[in-house]
Amino acid sequence: MNEMRAVANNMANSTTTGFRREGVVFSEHLTAIGPGRETLSMANARGREVDLTPASLTQTGGRFDLALEREGFFMVETPQGNRLTRAGAFMTSDEGELVNPDGHRVLDDGQAPIALPPGVRSVGVGPDGTISADGLPIARIGVFDQSDRAGLRHQGGTLFAATAPEPVEEPLVRQGFLEESNVNPVLEIARMIEVQRAYELGQSFLDGEDQRIRSVISATTR
């Protein structure tokens, strides 16, 4: 059921900008039972893994639509703290600050908010992340990464919490592009069918075992 929930979530976000596919990590536990100390194997599915494989880019032409061709993440400020994301569909707030669709402020390479001058006519973003307003550089959008990818914690949607984010020295930012979700719908549908059949097999096994126990009890009580 945990795996089915993960697959369903992947399917629901197959068109979400910057979404990363999730999978369930199963662990096996062996317990010694019986007089001969036979072992009983049990599985646990508490962990999840996130596929950080980059996805393809789609050209939008939006001046605040940004995508990363290499490794790294943008950083946004949330009420729970700074978070990393690959979703670069940004816009400006009423105060002229660069924000994401949820209203979280986008941060520069010094982890400070980015504000555009009032009345600016043109905005350009260079491959290194330098933001120019009417031809004058005003900030450099922050691109961060973490060497220990195991320390990245997916917190729903497209946001990740990082323990020790560091600036990427040579980012490659593309203006007017958005990164798609890295979910492959065809593979997810195949996985959903596989999980459903495994679930049905397990259910039929439990039903058969229940019927066997009932038959033994009925036979011994006669």
Side-chain angles (χ1 to χ4, degrees):
M1 291 179 67
N2 288 340
E3 180 74 9
M4 182 63 76
R5 292 190 187 100
V7 172
N9 185 58
N10 291 337
M11 290 292 297
N13 289 279
S14 61
T15 59
T16 300
T17 299
F19 182 80
R20 289 295 173 264
R21 176 188 176 277
E22 278 193 327
V24 176
V25 178
F26 290 88
S27 58
E28 185 180 21
H29 301 270
L30 298 178
T31 302
I33 59 174
R37 309 303 291 172
E38 295 86 357
T39 58
L40 175 65
S41 175
M42 301 293 290
N44 198 349
R46 291 185 178 179
R48 288 198 174 191
E49 62 175 352
V50 180
D51 182 6
L52 296 176
T53 304
S56 58
L57 306 185
T58 299
Q59 187 171 8
T60 64
R63 64 175 180 171
F64 297 121
D65 287 345
L66 304 177
L68 297 171
E69 281 200 15
R70 297 174 182 167
E71 300 296 329
F73 300 83
F74 300 113
M75 181 176 286
V76 295
E77 182 183 60
T78 75
Q80 294 74 35
N82 295 343
R83 296 293 184 264
L84 303 180
T85 181
R86 295 278 294 193
F90 302 135
M91 61 193 70
T92 55
S93 65
D94 295 337
E95 294 77 20
E97 293 179 320
L98 198 62
V99 298
N100 72 354
D102 295 323
H104 302 323
R105 297 191 294 183
V106 183
L107 305 182
D108 63 13
D109 53 357
Q111 300 188 24
I114 300 173
L116 299 177
V120 64
R121 295 184 299 273
S122 63
V123 176
V125 182
D128 64 346
T130 299
I131 302 176
S132 301
D134 292 337
L136 299 177
I138 59 172
R140 184 183 182 192
I141 193 166
V143 180
F144 299 85
D145 206 344
Q146 181 162 296
S147 57
D148 180 18
R149 289 297 182 87
L152 290 176
R153 290 179 288 108
H154 190 201
Q155 297 198 327
T158 60
L159 299 181
F160 293 85
T163 55
E166 299 178 352
V168 175
E169 295 183 358
E170 297 182 358
L172 184 53
V173 182
R174 296 289 301 274
Q175 184 182 20
F177 288 81
L178 288 176
E179 184 178 13
E180 299 178 357
S181 168
N182 68 351
V183 174
N184 186 324
V186 176
L187 295 180
E188 292 301 314
I189 291 176
R191 179 59 180 160
M192 180 178 290
I193 296 174
E194 181 182 357
V195 172
Q196 184 175 3
R197 288 178 177 174
Y199 184 82
E200 293 173 350
L201 179 62
Q203 186 65 43
S204 63
F205 172 79
L206 291 177
D207 292 341
E209 183 66 8
D210 179 70
Q211 185 62 37
R212 185 189 67 83
I213 294 175
R214 288 177 181 271
S215 299
V216 172
I217 295 175
S218 177
T220 55
T221 54
R222 290 178 183 174

